[in-house]
Amino acid sequence: MRTERPVTNPLTAVRNLGILAHVDAGKTTVTERFLYLTGSTHKRGEVHDGTTVTDFDPQERDRGITIFAAAVSCAWDGHRVNLIDTPGHVDFADEVERSLRVLDGAIAVFDAVAGVEPQSESVWRQADRYGVPRIAFVNKLDRAGADLDTAVASIRERLHPAPLVVQLPIGAEDGFTGVVDLLRLRALVWPDTDGPVAEVPVPEGLLEEARRRRRLLEEAVAELHPGALEEFCAESTLSAGTLGAALRDLTRTGDGVVVLCGSAYRNRGIEPLLDAVVAYLPSPSDVPPVRGTYDGGEQERAADPQVPLSALAFKVSAAGTGRLTYLRIYSGAIERGDTVWDPGARRTERIGRILRVQADRHERLERAVAGDIVAVAGLKSVRAGSTLCAPDAPLVLEPPAVADPVVSVAVEARRSTDTDRLTSALARLAEEDPSLVVRTDAETGQTVLSGMGELHLEVAVEKIRLATGVEVDVGRPRVAYRETVVRGVSGFVFRHVKQDGGAGQFAHVVLDVEPFQGCDFAFRSAVVGGRVPQEYVRSVEAGCRDALTDGPVGGFPVTGLRVTLTDGVTHVKDSSEQAFRTAGRLGLREALRACETVLLEPVAEVTVTVPEDAVGTVLGDLSARRGRITASTTRSGSALVTATVPLAELFGYATRLRSRTQGRGTFTARPTGYAPAPGGVAVAR
């Protein structure tokens, strides 16, 4: 069903979407089929053969997983589809976060056997945070044990949207050959060999079931959509046009999720999925104007090429062959040679080449306009999360959130002569991936690389080796501990007095410190009568934030507390903002030593899939790793065990699990926060 309709590519004919899913659900295969069916490629790429367009990095092809978000573009039915294939492994969730920040819609891919898996839920919640409309594609219906209804039930139970199933499979498992389109009550069938989809009448044996499911779909849509309800009450049915329009509205508001099905590997169900992308997901003109701030004021800019430029950099590729910055243009336009303003860095940049990206290949453009996702060469200091705007119309857009690293390793060049090259490579890595943090340990002098997990750090180190040839020695991974207050203090008095010639320093503060679960740190002032001027109050807060970097238990960052400034005293000559900032910092440190504090360690939700005969072994091993079992179920002959396990106990678990299950066990781990570490309590003195 390839189309020869020309691409007019106005704003309404653009779709910016991402593919989201748990690892191995088939995201990259879906992307490859999109490229093949739209004529962007002439051969179907396969993950297992290492021939995919989007998984072009050597590590991605060796490991068989997506590691780096890759952008591609194709044309379908007169529309330009800009697509980002995102990673499914939890260690690379930050790549998903940055992609979702700039997307207008998404396809969530689910395994028809496994249904909603841990990372499926994580990426779904990420999309919720950015309000990204989604449609769902239940993949791998040709697998043994595949069941559309079970997968849809897991979507309803774990993700809590209203799933609106618009297709009925024809055949099951190896016999899956096509789908029934419930909107138009027609059958779409794919041949065993490579060939176009055929539209045929609904098989007689499925006609009654198709009509029943069409009725259920009408009722579900009527419950959610006022316009559809009006027609349903008047006519007792919904026309295909009304149903399609209602599905589009419900998708874009997030009140419903259209569910399609197929088998991407066998090339079945992809054309209807592309049609659904065009029909239901929004164009840049359908989403609200982008909001930004400047000098304390808020502004809106519509997706219009004629208004001033606003664009967000969401990815930087700092390869040795050249630096590319990936932009989502929200308003205005850019041309080669234009000068743009980076308000974060407070400097101008010059646009070099403008490129339409096809993974690792590029097509030169002379101009890019609102709604486009492009790469730009020539920008020197722009980082992921930076805003670019017109110099005479400054605006700062909200950057994507960056997660705090949870695992660290010490790295050093094996040969001392390679130290400078390693330092440069690490700086380039941190520039490309904001979730990687490079720092120097103040006590040991070691270079410490921190990231989101073992695999994340392993990939980063391997990338350095492949790109530069530098051999790197890596220390044992360490987790990022935190400290928190479990019993606070009230009325803690701290006086800072310093007199060593010239102007002195004087600040007197009284602090209350208490546990606070609402956020990492909260500060408030209860000072009355102007005993502490407002500018000094802000200095006390800044000093308290300085004190959070090292706690009394083990010198780890402190979180989960609220500090209240209840009173203070100033000196007419010696009080200053610096004096009160010092008092806040030293005073909170002393107050924390008087509190009861506890050491926190990061924990992860682990889902282990093993043969039923290995469940006992796995449960025993998880218990030995201080794991707390939360669920154990059986599905299609395999057992799924879910447990909460300290992240520090998961190092090397993959190897241990394989050895204990003869290579048949797999697991996924999703960080879920922090929990008290055993023996990590400091009692108030």
Side-chain angles (χ1 to χ4, degrees):
M1 202 164 88
R2 298 190 190 184
T3 178
E4 299 299 328
R5 238 172 104 181
V7 179
T8 56
N9 202 24
L11 204 59
T12 55
V14 175
R15 298 292 184 272
N16 294 317
L17 66 139
I19 307 287
L20 313 174
H22 186 89
V23 65
D24 203 33
K27 299 180 306 302
T28 300
T29 303
V30 169
T31 305
E32 291 298 320
R33 298 307 183 261
F34 276 8
L35 296 176
Y36 177 69
L37 286 171
T38 58
S40 298
T41 59
H42 302 290
K43 183 179 179 182
R44 289 180 294 185
E46 304 293 356
V47 174
H48 56 271
D49 291 335
T51 57
T52 57
V53 171
T54 53
D55 286 355
F56 58 85
D57 187 271
Q59 291 199 73
E60 293 178 311
R61 293 186 169 179
D62 288 345
R63 299 173 189 272
I65 62 171
T66 299
I67 295 173
F68 310 106
V72 293
S73 185
C74 58
W76 180 258
D77 195 24
H79 292 70
R80 167 68 58 186
V81 179
N82 298 318
L83 179 66
I84 297 180
D85 180 22
T86 66
H89 196 284
V90 65
D91 281 17
F92 308 103
D94 201 64
E95 286 272 328
V96 183
E97 189 86 14
R98 293 197 300 275
S99 299
L100 283 170
R101 173 62 181 84
V102 300
L103 294 174
D104 301 324
I107 301 171
V109 181
F110 301 94
D111 188 312
V113 177
V116 175
E117 298 175 271
Q119 190 60 11
S120 310
E121 191 169 351
S122 295
V123 296
W124 190 274
R125 302 302 174 214
Q126 286 177 293
D128 281 343
R129 285 200 299 274
Y130 290 107
V132 177
R134 279 141 284 171
I135 59 178
F137 181 66
V138 179
N139 192 26
K140 302 187 178 183
L141 275 177
D142 58 320
R143 284 186 60 194
D147 188 277
L148 175 63
D149 292 338
T150 302
V152 171
S154 72
I155 293 173
R156 182 183 293 108
E157 292 163 8
R158 297 192 60 176
L159 305 180
H160 310 297
L164 304 170
V165 184
V166 298
Q167 292 177 339
L168 171 66
I170 299 174
E173 300 180 353
D174 279 344
F176 171 68
T177 58
V179 298
V180 176
D181 175 3
L182 297 180
L183 269 71
R184 297 171 181 81
L185 285 180
R186 58 176 183 168
L188 302 174
V189 179
W190 286 266
D192 290 334
T193 57
D194 188 17
V197 61
E199 182 177 333
V200 299
V202 178
E204 193 67 31
L206 286 177
L207 190 56
E208 183 177 346
E209 177 65 10
R211 287 172 175 161
R212 184 184 75 83
R213 293 193 179 226
R214 163 65 186 252
R215 183 68 177 182
L216 291 174
L217 176 62
E218 291 177 354
E219 292 172 353
V221 169
E223 285 182 8
L224 299 169
H225 193 279
L229 178 61
E230 185 177 340
E231 180 176 317
F232 188 77
C233 291
E235 306 291 338
S236 297
T237 187
L238 293 177
S239 66
T242 299
L243 193 53
L247 290 171
R248 179 172 59 252
D249 292 342
L250 293 173
T251 298
R252 295 177 183 183
T253 60
D255 295 322
V257 176
V258 173
V259 181
L260 301 97
C261 60
S263 168
Y265 179 67
R266 294 197 177 184
N267 216 36
R268 295 171 185 172
I270 303 302
E271 295 96 327
L273 183 58
L274 278 164
D275 291 337
V277 165
V278 169
Y280 304 130
L281 292 179
S283 71
S285 62
D286 295 321
V287 298
V290 67
R291 290 175 175 266
T293 58
Y294 195 74
D295 282 345
E298 188 172 288
Q299 302 177 32
E300 285 188 351
R301 289 197 186 157
D304 183 348
Q306 304 305 317
V307 304
L309 171 70
S310 62
L312 185 70
F314 66 96
K315 181 179 174 67
V316 173
S317 174
T321 54
R323 189 177 192 274
L324 291 180
T325 305
Y326 292 75
L327 301 178
R328 163 64 193 268
I329 303 176
Y330 285 98
S331 65
I334 55 172
E335 295 184 5
R336 182 179 179 183
D338 280 354
T339 298
V340 296
W341 174 251
D342 179 352
R346 304 194 66 81
R347 60 171 289 170
T348 57
E349 296 271 9
R350 185 177 179 276
I351 301 293
R353 291 171 297 152
I354 304 173
L355 307 169
R356 189 178 303 285
V357 182
Q358 200 77 345
D360 59 340
R361 293 174 292 147
H362 311 108
E363 171 193 345
R364 291 200 182 195
L365 301 174
E366 290 301 317
R367 187 170 187 261
V369 300
D372 278 339
I373 293 178
V374 295
V376 173
L379 305 182
K380 297 179 180 178
S381 63
V382 174
R383 301 289 184 265
S386 297
T387 300
L388 294 180
C389 57
D392 57 349
L395 187 72
V396 178
L397 304 178
E398 180 186 358
V402 179
D404 292 330
V406 295
V407 179
S408 301
V409 292
V411 294
E412 64 178 359
R414 189 166 297 171
R415 296 189 300 269
S416 59
T417 53
D418 288 336
T419 300
D420 289 343
R421 293 172 64 197
L422 175 61
T423 301
S424 299
L426 287 170
R428 192 160 58 234
L429 271 181
E431 184 181 340
E432 289 184 320
D433 186 352
S435 62
L436 285 171
V437 176
V438 181
R439 62 181 176 85
T440 301
D441 190 290
E443 295 183 3
T444 65
Q446 290 179 304
T447 300
V448 178
L449 178 64
S450 304
M452 304 307 298
E454 271 190 288
L455 181 59
H456 190 203
L457 298 179
E458 184 182 320
V459 166
V461 171
E462 182 66 10
K463 189 171 185 179
I464 291 174
R465 189 187 67 78
L466 291 174
T468 66
V470 174
E471 294 298 328
V472 181
D473 288 328
V474 180
R476 175 176 168 77
R478 297 177 296 174
V479 299
Y481 290 98
R482 296 286 186 270
E483 299 178 26
T484 193
V485 173
V486 294
R487 183 168 60 83
V489 294
S490 298
F492 188 88
V493 178
F494 184 84
R495 180 184 292 256
H496 172 62
V497 181
K498 185 178 181 181
Q499 191 73 48
D500 53 3
Q505 292 189 25
F506 177 89
H508 178 104
V509 295
V510 182
L511 305 174
D512 289 351
V513 182
E514 59 186 326
F516 189 65
Q517 301 303 317
C519 60
D520 291 341
F521 173 71
F523 180 88
R524 62 180 181 176
S525 173
V527 177
V528 295
R531 289 175 59 82
V532 180
Q534 190 59 40
E535 60 269 23
Y536 293 170
V537 171
R538 289 194 293 267
S539 297
V540 174
E541 178 181 358
C544 289
R545 291 186 182 276
D546 294 341
L548 299 177
T549 56
D550 54 340
V553 178
F556 299 105
V558 183
T559 185
L561 76 159
R562 178 166 62 187
V563 176
T564 304
L565 177 65
T566 60
D567 200 2
V569 179
T570 62
H571 187 277
V572 65
K573 290 185 177 180
D574 293 342
S575 289
S576 64
E577 292 183 16
Q578 182 59 47
F580 272 88
R581 180 165 186 159
T582 302
R585 174 169 52 86
L586 299 179
L588 182 54
R589 283 183 177 174
E590 291 292 332
L592 287 172
R593 293 189 180 97
C595 296
E596 182 178 327
T597 54
V598 65
L599 185 68
L600 301 175
E601 62 180 348
V603 295
E605 181 188 72
V606 178
T607 302
V608 186
T609 304
V610 294
E612 290 186 76
D613 58 4
V615 171
T617 301
V618 168
L619 291 176
D621 189 41
L622 288 173
S623 297
R625 294 173 183 268
R626 297 190 285 124
R628 181 171 56 85
I629 310 300
T630 56
S632 181
T633 59
T634 302
R635 181 193 296 166
S636 302
S638 296
L640 272 72
V641 178
T642 304
T644 301
V645 185
L647 194 62
E649 300 289 347
L650 289 176
F651 296 139
Y653 182 60
T655 302
R656 185 70 171 269
L657 179 65
R658 284 194 295 266
S659 67
R660 289 186 169 232
T661 60
Q662 289 77 49
R664 297 176 295 168
T666 61
F667 85 102
T668 59
R670 178 169 62 97
T672 55
Y674 285 82
V681 179
V683 181
R685 293 185 286 274

